[in-house]
Amino acid sequence: MGPLTWLIALPLLGAAAAAAVGRDRERALRMVGLVTSVLVFAIAALVWGRFAPGAASLQFEEHAPWVPGVGLVYHLGVDGLSVSLVALTALLFPLALGAAAQQLAGRAKGFVITALLLETGMLGTFMAQDLVLFYVFWEGMLIPMYFLIALWGGPGRAPAAMKFLLYTMAGSALMLVALVAVAFAGERIAGRFTFDLPALLARPLGLGGPYESVLFLAFTAAFAIKMPVWPLHTWLPDAYAEAPPVVTMLLASVMAKAGAYGLLRFCLPLFPEAMRAFGPLLSVLAVIGILYGGAIAWAQGDMRRLLAYGSMSHMGFILLGIFALNLPALQGSLIQMINHGISTGALFLIAGMLIARTGRADTDGYGGAGAGAPTLAAAAMIVALSSLALPGTNGFIGEFLILLGTFQARPAAAVLAAFGVVAAAAYLLAFIGRIFHGPVRDGLASMGDLRREELAILVPLIAVIFWVGLYPRPLLARSEATVRALLANAAAAQTAARQGPHVAAGGGTSP
Amino acid sequence: MSTADLVLVGPELVLTIAAVVVLLQDAWATGGVLEPQTPRPAAVWGSLAAVGLALVWDVGGRRWGPAFGGMYVRDQFTMIADLAALAAAGLGILLSSAYLPRVRLPAGEYHALLLLATVGAMVMAASGSLITLFLGLEILSFSLYVLAAIARRSRRSLEAGLKYLLLGAFATAFFAYGIALIFGATGSIDLREIGAARPSRLLGAGIALLTVGLAFEGALVPFHAWAPDVYEGAPLPVTAFMSVVAKVGAFAGLLRVFPLALAHLAGVWGPMLAAIAVVTMILGNLAALFQTNLKRLLAYSGIAHAGYLMIGVAAGGPAGTWSVLFYLLVYVAMNLGAFGVLLLLARQGMEADRVEDLAGLSGRAPWAAAALVLFLVSLAGLPLTAGFIAKLYLFRAALGAHQPVPALVGVLTSVVSVYYYLRVASAALSGGAPQAVAVLRNRLVGAALVLATAGVLWLGLFPAGFTAAVQQAARQAAAAVR
């Protein structure tokens, strides 16, 4: 068993261990969760550290037959697209479990088990190289997430969890049919039925035309709902607001990334022509999402909804960068995926800490909280500044590269998107101002500053913020070769498509 | 009839003899008492032993070939279908062991009829001629009629049995008339000869009537109307067993007729059966959304699953055949598992069959609650469970047969089904336990749940072995009729 299998197996083993512990031994349960996720992070950090930056291909590959009769393979691997996302996911889980220990006293057992199952699903999603294996993890993370919202959420949790589940499942249902269709297309070209992505990409699938567009849309619908892309975002405010804050952090920091990652992992290499053809449309949606999310966030009184719409606005930048289809924009999108995970995750954690102290989520109920909790206020300020892309923090690197790349491809979109940066400044500073500044509200002076364990959760995130902001080279170097290769392949496929008629335009089995 | 013939029908023979012995032993032991108070371990263990022996004979024997002049066919296809039927019987016996004495159902008759119904499904799977198919169908459905009405003191049980009998007899009449028309058109009742016959209008009409009979047994729309009432009225363990064994028989029969015997006419019946599949999936899933009674909910979910199974039949070819075979075993495990958890509950001595009866189950019986969630997730077709792999195979078969519509409707209705399955799962995981509902502890039911859980997980995570087996079975069966 290689390190990647351990990344999947360890959380499962941890969940099994937690299942064996009695439900009233909360300390032991929390320790199981924490130790497991720290071990997972150690392996992920090792993988990240040993990853050879110059190579475009998959590393740490594991390949074993799963169901040979139907072309299913157990194929794991990381490349420049995924290695940092795996590390991010593994970093966030110990922090989430640590924060949950304080926010969810009394029902630890189920939470620890479900969260560890979720970790398996999320890590697997970023490592699977077989279409069905990917789908298994992709859907596999939905079910724990549903239960985390439905059982541990706020008063409106049941409908919010169901809405989230049905929305995301409806999107991925079509993807299931589409990925079977892709495998059949691969069989026509290569004569062998397989779901293995590298094997399918070994030669051009020759889809082309409306058939490629249909398949592209089926995949993209699944990814766009997860991100979410405007106008498919309506599940987001409810789910983000009703889920417990640590779960919201995982939703925003990891699950949203899975959508963006899917576009790069599957849509770009499998459907390069459709990726180009639908670029303008999706860029428009991205810009709408950036501006709409920013504007709505500014008007929210509930801090979780404010951050939820803000997160959606930031995801718009990532989408914009992906469809600019050039090196700086894609690199910016990838690094912004990490940044968004860190900054938005930290903001949701801070919101959770505030709610745990006062029991209220509306920003109007606060004011002058900085007087009683200066360290918390300082941490919130740093995170907010990184989220609105202040130079020297991680957000600047990402958004700058995205806007640079987009400006080369679609100047108008880049100019409009830049207003999103202004909107982010408006709502984030409003968030900070309403909560931490101004006259001190009753009881907030004695709110209590960060405790040691809370500090231990926020410090690693703030460290990453400055590290990426000041020295982004290691991150960018890890993804560069893969992104170059992806773009080169897509360009080659497009030229081939333009020069000759499609090998099987419309396809023999096209519906 | 030779000894070789008897060896081939050995599994059926074992079960039939066991059924007779159990029935006689019951008569001798109880005398004239119809509702004995004492539990009857002999009936339980005797039936289990018979199922085990049949299973060993079936899977371990590996003797293939036609018997009784080709009317009976024992091949790998039969073996896989028998595996599903015997799994249903074994789990059904284990699951009912606590319920029968508690509600004072006649154990002897119950076990005898259960074994006979299993024989019926197995004969259907082994049919080489329409007469064998008819015999199997009758053995299966007659046993089920009586089983549905076995709670003599319950009006609802009697009503269920009567409804089932009347409508079932009607469907059987269609089936018999279909055989007559097919015989008129082709001059044969042998499936191989019918497959080789020239298509004609009379043959088509006969096949359509045949389909009515099988679709009734499988609860396919528009022949499903009996299912919710019968499922709700019959005693819970009967509902559980009936919901799976009838599907095993019906779909084994449908596979023998359509993808295997009539393979060359796939262009004619494919779209028709696909339409039935689509309508069945839509209606079953939509109707299940509004159910608050768990038995009715599982009845409509059973209709929906008949629709999914029909995707494979309509797709035809080896891929369609083996994906249905795979799905049948998976369906047995997950559906009986879900029913098994319900059988652990009792509301004031009665069946706990409302969604709210499940509330707080995770606090009282965490393992049962976890198993229930697993079965429901599998029924919804979500990954890491056998239900997902089984559905993936069906959708793949449909796309391979250029039938994208059933596959698309299948995935979309699966999303709908997530709503009602997970609503039940959430109920079991949250809330306070109602006072009136008691959770029973029973070793045999527990063993059945462990077996079903292992099946759902094993076929979901490591399906390669069984997939290879069903693929080979489908190839062998297809080659034999050509």
Side-chain angles (χ1 to χ4, degrees), chain A residues 301-369:
Chain A
D302 181 313
M303 62 171 96
R304 292 167 306 183
R305 284 177 190 267
L306 183 149
L307 295 177
Y309 281 108
S311 160
M312 175 186 160
S313 173
H314 277 108
M315 288 306 292
F317 280 100
I318 296 174
L319 183 70
L320 191 64
I322 290 174
F323 279 91
L325 290 179
N326 56 30
L327 184 67
L330 276 191
Q331 282 280 60
S333 285
L334 277 172
I335 204 167
Q336 191 63 8
M337 280 154 78
I338 305 295
N339 295 339
H340 182 268
I342 298 286
S343 304
T344 309
L347 282 172
F348 276 112
L349 283 177
I350 288 169
M353 290 169 186
L354 285 167
I355 294 169
R357 280 171 168 69
T358 63
R360 45 194 320 173
D362 55 318
T363 48
D364 292 341
Y366 291 86

Side-chain angles (χ1 to χ4, degrees), chain B residues 269-283:
Chain B
W269 51 258
M272 264 172 41
L273 299 188
I276 292 184
V278 166
V279 179
T280 308
M281 287 185 284
I282 292 176
L283 196 133

Side-chain angles (χ1 to χ4, degrees), chain B residues 103-130:
Chain B
V103 190
R104 289 198 226 157
L105 294 183
E109 289 164 45
Y110 175 85
H111 287 100
L113 288 166
L114 184 143
L115 292 177
L116 284 178
T118 313
V119 170
M122 288 162 67
V123 169
M124 287 179 85
S127 47
S129 90
L130 290 178

Side-chain angles (χ1 to χ4, degrees), chain A residues 23 66-70 132 135-136 139 143 146-147 151 162 165-166 169-170 173-174 176-177 180-181 184 193 509 511, chain B residues 322 362 377 382-384 388 392-393 395-396 399-400 402 404 408 411 415 418-419 422 426 429-430 461 463-464 467 471:
Chain A
R23 65 172 59 235
W66 182 19
V67 190
V70 277
V132 172
Y135 188 84
V136 164
E139 293 280 85
I143 304 157
Y146 165 79
F147 284 118
L151 300 180
M162 195 49 95
L165 185 72
L166 291 183
M169 283 219 45
L174 294 175
L176 179 62
V177 178
V180 176
F184 273 114
F193 188 91
T509 52
Chain B
W322 66 256
S362 59
V377 165
L382 296 174
L384 293 179
F388 167 72
L392 173 72
Y393 289 172
F395 300 149
R396 180 181 169 276
L399 285 187
H402 309 299
L408 285 172
V411 290
V415 177
V418 167
Y419 176 79
L422 286 197
S426 295
L429 291 183
S430 59
L461 296 173
T467 306
Q471 284 180 324

